[in-house]
Amino acid sequence: MNRLFRIETGEWPKLLQFGLFGLLLQTGMGVGFAAGDAAFLSHVGPDRLPLIFLLTPGVMLVYTAVFSVLTVRLSPDQIVDVTLAALIAGGALLWAFIELSPPAWGGAPYYAFKLYLAMWYIGIYTLFWTFTDAYFDIQDAKRLFPLFAAFCALGTALGALIVSLFAGRLPMHGFLLVWSGLALLTAPVARRLRLRWRRLSDGEVDLDEEPASVGAQLAQVARTFRTSPYAAALALTMFVTLLLTNLAEYQYAVILEKGRSEAELAALFGRLYAAANVFNLVVCLFVFNRLVTRIGVRNVALILPATYFIVFAVFFLAGGTLAALAAFFAYHGVLTSIEYNNQNLLFNATPSDVRRPLRTVVEGMAEPLASLLAGGFLLTMATQVDMRELSGIGVLLGAVLIAIVLGLRHLYPQAMAANMRRGWLNFGELAARAPGPQRGPASDASHASADRIAEGLAGLDPSALKAAVGALRTAAGPGDIGVVTPLVSILPNLDREGRAAALEALARIGDVETIPQVLGAAPQLGPRDLRRLEALMVEFGEAAVPRLIQVLASPQASYRARSVAARALSDLSPAQFEAQLHPIANDELDEAGRSLYLAEHFESDAEPSPALALLAHAYRERVGQAVDFVLELLALGGRLPDFDLLVVSLHSANPKVRGNAIEAIASGVDHATWSRLDPLLNRRTASHQIHEPGDLVTRLEDAARSRRGFEALCAAQALRDRVAPREMPQRLRGAVSLETPSAIRESFAVLMGLDERPTLVDLVCAIRQRSDFAPASLDAQQALAERAAPDATGAGAIELRLQGRTWWLDAADVEDLAARYPDLALAMLKARDARSYAA
């Protein structure tokens, strides 16, 4: 059942409760629709439908004004209570009005009945989906909203069947009392929902602070239409859709009414509504969520315009009962099960700070204005033109709607990106790229000076080292290749000013062959340094392209180094970058899928050691890094919006913000790429993942020999916890090479019994016990572990306890590393600040 309906573990109670709420609301609506349509057509006639279209905007103007006042003065929960109370009382009062009205009033009571239906058709729809949207993010909505719509369709079908079954026993207005009773049953269900489930915030900052008056809300909505092309296009789409809907309703009503009594019409509409909603039920349960996953929200928006275009073409070419039934099912089937479901998702891309009043105005006024226009046209022209000419107008409007939706489709990704940006506080613009230094010829004397400085770098104290690097800034020049290796080796140990001087010296040397070596230092540099490093690569010019491609395509290079290479290459040679994009992205995503599978395998071990648990965590972090890297490549290639905004939103703890980021990704990439990304973003193994053979020990051996730095060390230590010590040298043969960092080599020596000090894995485990360091990335924790010492130095040293011994971190080292690893800085900030942070 979970796989069939795409339900996550533990979601059934929430799904069923919200589904029951929608079912009860729409059962009442189905009762009202079937009875009200039959009563109006029998007592008034289809030729008066245009008058209903004309009067609907006036009714909705009153409804929208009242609802807007309630939105300002009451909470969303209280609005639900007031709406249900109005349904209960309104049904009873309207029944009494029709029951007691004298014959001289003619069809006036049935005009009231039809207008009452028109008001609640929009009002209940807006109420349910506005209320429900507050409890789900966009990704959950894509899975679950079709199921809620299925409950609503089932409710409408049940309501229509009730009318069909009892049409010969009850007068049509008597069903208003049935509707009131259903509203009374809905009230405790709504109250239970509010007590049981928590509403979600739209952003990282409080976006629920709506204007304090109706006038201010309307002013903000008007401003939104001026500043958001997407919101204007969405409103125009809904407006033209309703024009076509009213035209279709008029045409099928005229055809189906001929030759039928009130009871026959009630029975016919009961069967048609029931059949349409069985269709809706099937589409909502099994089709819509798969459809929107496969082709995306913005492409699904084209289905209804195409359907209306075809329906009116059938009216134009053939006409008759078949065309009337097609129009009925386009209105009550495709519009209800596909378009309305998709509109709920399309509204998610409107500005979140004005979404509630915007939706109230659009659905409460813009749509009725379409009824006003359609009603006025039909009232004045219906007697002057025949059905075929009306159908021709429908064909033209269908073509116009297709053009509008194509524009909406184009605006959707940018609107999602703008909405993500709106949900974040702006802490300032990114640091501008530092301009590369001017390179000029260097004299033989300066070369000699640079060589002497480079020879003296080793063993200098920090102040002398800083002075030496400052001297290299002016002394180095083209040809000083010997300076590069010592300069790169000390680069991570310099302060911010020293790193800037070192990068400037490397720029003056300007040797593109050293690019892989220079980018090798990227993992230990701060964000500002990485921007300078990127500018340095660009300053090298097109000659740097081959080496940048070498680093970008190398799985052994760090993601930071590959990211810098990607950014520089996309600047220097977009064509070369485009050629590398998809092969690298596909390889990374396939490898990330394998890493996710291995992480799950290691986590499932019955007796996990600390090292094995840390290895599983390392694999999961690598999955996240791979996904971020691929998203950056896609953003640089123009497939996705601003990467920095996207990745921050993607890692948000707020489900609405994260869901918007995932939706921006889904709408920007092709289906093949999305099928790889989807399971990784949701941290589940893809269904097509090939499970590799081998027991745990064999997999640990392979991981230990992978030469992937800290991951290999974790695997080696987990292996030590499972095999005899005498087997370790043989099992770890080939795990260490000359390129292995010294800190990793020393820990491998400990594992083979050559030393008794704690390994980096032991130190990282101790670091992870501290609340101010635990949320940081493993890269940051490893950097901290490499700075740990058995003795305390300096004021404010931080204590680490492990294996009955105490190790220490120097406070200055921690501060320096926090400036290079933003995730470490954020973890420390959260531990020291009592306020709640979502990111």
Side-chain angles (χ1 to χ4, degrees):
M1 290 288 286
N2 286 350
R3 287 195 298 271
L4 179 63
F5 295 113
R6 300 191 174 186
I7 308 299
E8 301 290 344
T9 304
E11 279 186 334
W12 279 104
K14 191 174 184 180
L15 168 68
L16 293 176
Q17 288 179 41
F18 276 91
L20 179 60
F21 179 53
L23 183 142
L24 290 173
L25 282 174
Q26 285 302 125
T27 300
M29 199 70 236
V31 168
F33 252 124
D37 284 355
F40 183 83
L41 293 177
S42 297
H43 290 274
V44 180
D47 58 316
R48 296 290 90 187
L49 270 177
L51 191 56
I52 294 295
F53 297 158
L54 282 173
L55 294 174
T56 297
V59 174
M60 291 311 302
L61 179 62
V62 176
Y63 172 85
T64 303
V66 172
F67 194 84
S68 297
V69 171
L70 294 177
T71 301
V72 171
R73 298 186 178 181
L74 301 179
S75 69
D77 297 341
Q78 291 172 321
I79 291 175
V80 173
D81 291 336
V82 170
T83 302
L84 291 175
L87 278 171
I88 296 167
L93 290 173
L94 185 56
W95 170 82
F97 172 67
I98 298 174
E99 181 73 17
L100 300 175
S101 62
W105 288 9
Y110 298 98
Y111 278 101
F113 196 171
K114 186 66 175 173
L115 290 171
Y116 184 77
L117 281 176
M119 179 184 73
W120 285 121
Y121 175 68
I122 296 174
I124 288 179
Y125 177 86
T126 302
L127 171 77
F128 177 75
W129 291 112
T130 302
F131 176 78
T132 304
D133 180 69
Y135 292 85
F136 298 91
D137 64 70
I138 180 65
Q139 296 306 308
D140 288 339
K142 288 169 73 172
R143 291 185 301 104
L144 301 180
F145 279 18
L147 301 181
F148 297 150
F151 277 100
C152 293
L154 179 60
T156 305
L158 288 174
L161 284 174
I162 290 172
V163 174
S164 182
L165 290 173
F166 295 99
R169 305 177 191 178
L170 283 176
M172 292 302 104
H173 65 278
F175 288 102
L176 285 166
L177 295 178
V178 178
W179 191 357
S180 292
L182 289 166
L184 186 62
L185 290 176
T186 309
V189 176
R191 186 173 297 275
R192 173 64 180 167
L193 285 177
R194 304 196 301 263
L195 294 175
R196 175 67 179 83
W197 307 107
R198 182 178 64 86
R199 294 176 71 240
L200 304 180
S201 170
D202 282 316
E204 298 300 344
V205 292
D206 185 7
L207 298 179
D208 291 329
E209 298 177 0
E210 294 176 354
S213 68
V214 175
Q217 282 193 349
L218 293 177
Q220 191 171 7
V221 170
R223 186 166 57 252
T224 299
F225 285 134
R226 291 196 307 270
T227 59
S228 172
Y230 176 82
L234 180 58
L236 186 59
T237 298
M238 298 172 71
F239 181 82
V240 179
T241 297
L242 261 293
L243 286 178
L244 286 164
T245 300
N246 289 330
L247 187 58
E249 182 181 9
Y250 174 79
Q251 292 196 260
Y252 79 65
V254 169
I255 293 175
L256 296 180
E257 183 269 342
K258 290 180 180 177
R260 291 182 174 88
S261 66
E262 180 182 20
E264 288 172 338
L265 273 175
L268 174 63
F269 277 115
R271 290 192 296 272
L272 287 178
Y273 278 119
N277 283 283
V278 169
F279 168 81
N280 294 342
L281 186 66
V282 173
V283 171
C284 292
L285 285 177
F286 305 110
V287 178
F288 181 80
N289 55 8
R290 290 166 174 81
L291 188 67
V292 78
T293 300
R294 177 73 182 182
I295 68 174
V297 172
R298 57 187 185 143
N299 292 323
V300 171
L302 287 165
I303 292 176
L304 181 72
T307 301
Y308 270 150
F309 184 85
I310 293 171
V311 163
F312 283 105
V314 173
F315 260 124
F316 183 79
L317 296 173
T321 303
L322 178 62
L325 294 176
F328 183 92
F329 273 88
Y331 176 5
H332 297 284
V334 178
L335 177 68
T336 302
S337 62
I338 294 180
E339 178 65 14
Y340 283 166
N341 277 332
N342 205 52
Q343 282 180 12
N344 291 324
L345 303 177
L346 289 169
F347 263 109
N348 191 74
T350 57
S352 51
D353 55 342
V354 74
R355 186 177 303 148
R356 282 177 57 196
L358 177 68
R359 185 162 192 167
T360 299
V361 169
V362 170
E363 293 180 343
M365 283 308 303
E367 295 185 18
L369 284 176
S371 294
L372 177 66
L373 182 59
F377 171 78
L378 290 171
L379 198 62
T380 57
M381 300 296 295
T383 58
Q384 302 178 32
V385 296
D386 60 20
M387 295 291 285
R388 191 168 185 271
E389 289 173 320
L390 287 177
S391 302
I393 294 172
V395 170
L396 293 176
L397 280 176
V400 170
L401 182 58
I402 290 174
I404 295 170
V405 173
L406 286 173
L408 183 76
R409 179 185 178 277
H410 173 73
L411 294 169
Y412 180 76
Q414 296 96 313
M416 288 297 302
N419 220 18
M420 283 191 295
R421 187 176 296 109
R422 194 175 290 108
W424 286 94
L425 286 171
N426 180 13
F427 290 108
E429 298 294 328
L430 292 172
R433 292 180 180 177
Q438 298 294 322
R439 294 193 299 273
S443 64
D444 293 340
S446 64
H447 289 321
S449 174
D451 290 340
R452 288 194 299 273
I453 295 172
E455 291 172 0
L457 289 178
L460 293 179
D461 61 64
S463 60
L465 189 61
K466 182 176 180 179
V469 172
L472 273 175
R473 186 201 310 241
T474 56
D480 289 325
I481 308 301
V483 175
V484 174
T485 298
L487 198 55
V488 170
S489 66
I490 64 164
L491 187 59
N493 301 324
L494 298 170
D495 61 13
R496 178 182 297 178
E497 185 179 343
R499 293 194 297 272
L503 290 174
E504 187 172 340
L506 291 170
R508 291 178 66 86
I509 296 169
D511 186 358
V512 296
E513 296 302 317
T514 65
I515 285 177
Q517 186 180 4
V518 173
L519 290 180
Q524 299 185 65
L525 299 181
R528 182 177 298 182
D529 303 321
L530 294 176
R531 295 289 181 182
R532 289 195 180 109
L533 192 56
E534 177 190 340
L536 169 61
M537 299 296 107
V538 174
E539 278 290 314
F540 284 156
E542 293 184 358
V545 168
R547 291 306 180 200
L548 290 173
I549 293 176
Q550 176 187 338
V551 175
L552 175 61
S554 172
Q556 283 72 40
S558 69
Y559 282 116
R560 281 193 176 187
R562 298 174 75 187
S563 172
V564 172
R567 287 177 177 271
L569 182 61
S570 67
D571 272 355
L572 289 171
S573 178
Q576 290 285 354
F577 175 79
E578 187 69 25
Q580 301 294 322
L581 175 56
H582 283 293
I584 293 175
N586 290 338
D587 289 346
E588 283 296 319
L589 294 177
D590 290 341
E591 182 62 23
R594 178 178 176 274
S595 298
L596 181 58
Y597 165 69
L598 289 175
E600 293 172 349
H601 176 69
F602 293 145
E603 289 168 345
S604 65
D605 187 69
E607 299 178 359
S609 65
L612 185 61
L614 198 57
L615 177 61
H617 183 75
Y619 273 110
R620 285 198 174 272
E621 276 205 4
R622 179 141 62 86
V623 170
Q625 291 173 340
V627 169
D628 289 351
F629 177 61
V630 169
L631 294 180
E632 184 172 21
L633 293 180
L634 293 170
L636 290 172
R639 274 70 165 180
L640 295 176
D642 178 73
F643 168 72
D644 295 312
L645 170 67
L646 187 66
V647 77
V648 168
S649 300
L650 188 63
H651 289 277
S652 170
N654 184 309
K656 285 265 189 181
V657 173
R658 186 174 188 275
N660 287 345
I662 294 177
E663 176 61 14
I665 296 167
S667 64
V669 301
D670 58 85
H671 180 72
T673 303
W674 175 245
S675 64
R676 286 182 167 96
L677 273 169
D678 182 25
L680 300 175
L681 290 169
N682 294 288
R683 295 295 190 269
R684 63 176 186 270
T685 304
S687 58
H688 63 273
Q689 178 70 45
I690 299 175
H691 291 185
E692 300 177 357
D695 58 12
L696 179 61
V697 170
T698 301
R699 285 180 174 155
L700 289 176
E701 283 187 16
D702 292 341
R705 293 170 178 168
S706 68
R707 298 185 180 178
R708 283 183 167 165
F710 189 72
E711 285 179 21
L713 180 61
C714 290
Q717 187 153 332
L719 191 64
R720 184 198 64 179
D721 297 335
R722 292 179 175 271
V723 303
R726 65 179 181 277
E727 299 180 22
M728 287 297 291
Q730 177 63 29
R731 292 185 181 273
L732 296 182
R733 185 183 300 275
V736 180
S737 69
L738 292 175
E739 289 77 25
T740 303
S742 59
I744 301 291
R745 286 203 307 269
E746 291 168 3
S747 291
F748 267 100
V750 173
L751 295 178
M752 287 187 280
L754 304 178
D755 198 342
E756 295 184 357
R757 59 184 287 137
T759 65
L760 277 179
V761 173
D762 298 327
L763 290 166
V764 167
C765 288
I767 287 169
R768 291 173 63 83
Q769 298 303 312
R770 294 186 57 92
S771 61
D772 49 349
F773 298 150
S777 65
L778 278 179
D779 287 341
Q781 292 168 355
Q782 180 188 343
L784 287 170
E786 291 176 2
R787 302 286 185 97
D791 300 314
T793 58
I798 299 169
E799 184 180 16
L800 302 175
R801 292 189 174 274
L802 70 163
Q803 301 175 350
R805 300 173 59 185
T806 300
W807 284 63
W808 300 88
L809 286 172
D810 185 81
D813 286 339
V814 173
E815 184 176 347
D816 176 60
L817 290 174
R820 307 186 193 197
Y821 296 91
D823 55 278
L824 174 60
L826 181 59
M828 295 168 63
L829 174 64
K830 291 169 67 175
R832 298 173 186 179
D833 196 320
R835 293 175 293 177
S836 174
Y837 289 85

